[in-house]
Amino acid sequence: MKKNTNVIVQKINGEYMIVPTMDGAVQMEKVYCVSDTGAFIWDCIPEECEIDIEQLIELVAKKYGISKDEIKEDIISFIDDLKKHNLVIDY
């Protein structure tokens, strides 16, 4: 997977917002808010090349010092939600 490049990411009042754009215009009705952990995962997803879910799980486990088994389902669910909102592209 990789990031959809038609988005803007902003941190406002401590909240991270991913805002899709279309033809240069922001799509405010489709704003997607994420936690600090979600923002970390988002930052780990590249725009130009691909990363797989196992690599993301490894990065998050290492960053937060927890086992991959503890976070696997949550990360899969988060990524599925990003895909549903067309914020990441699966290849």
Side-chain angles (χ1 to χ4, degrees), residues 19-79:
V19 184
T21 61
M22 182 177 285
D23 299 324
V26 297
Q27 305 293 300
M28 291 305 292
E29 70 279 0
K30 296 181 181 181
V31 171
Y32 189 84
C33 296
V34 297
S35 65
D36 287 339
T37 304
F40 174 76
I41 295 168
W42 176 260
D43 288 341
C44 290
I45 301 170
E47 291 180 7
E48 299 298 323
C49 58
E50 296 179 38
I51 190 168
D52 67 37
I53 194 77
E54 292 301 322
Q55 291 170 303
L56 284 175
I57 292 167
E58 180 77 31
L59 290 168
V60 174
K62 185 176 181 180
K63 164 110 175 132
Y64 294 100
I66 53 180
S67 78
K68 293 187 277 185
D69 290 336
E70 287 182 73
I71 58 170
K72 184 174 186 170
E73 287 185 32
D74 289 337
I75 293 177
I76 290 171
S77 177
F78 178 69
I79 295 301

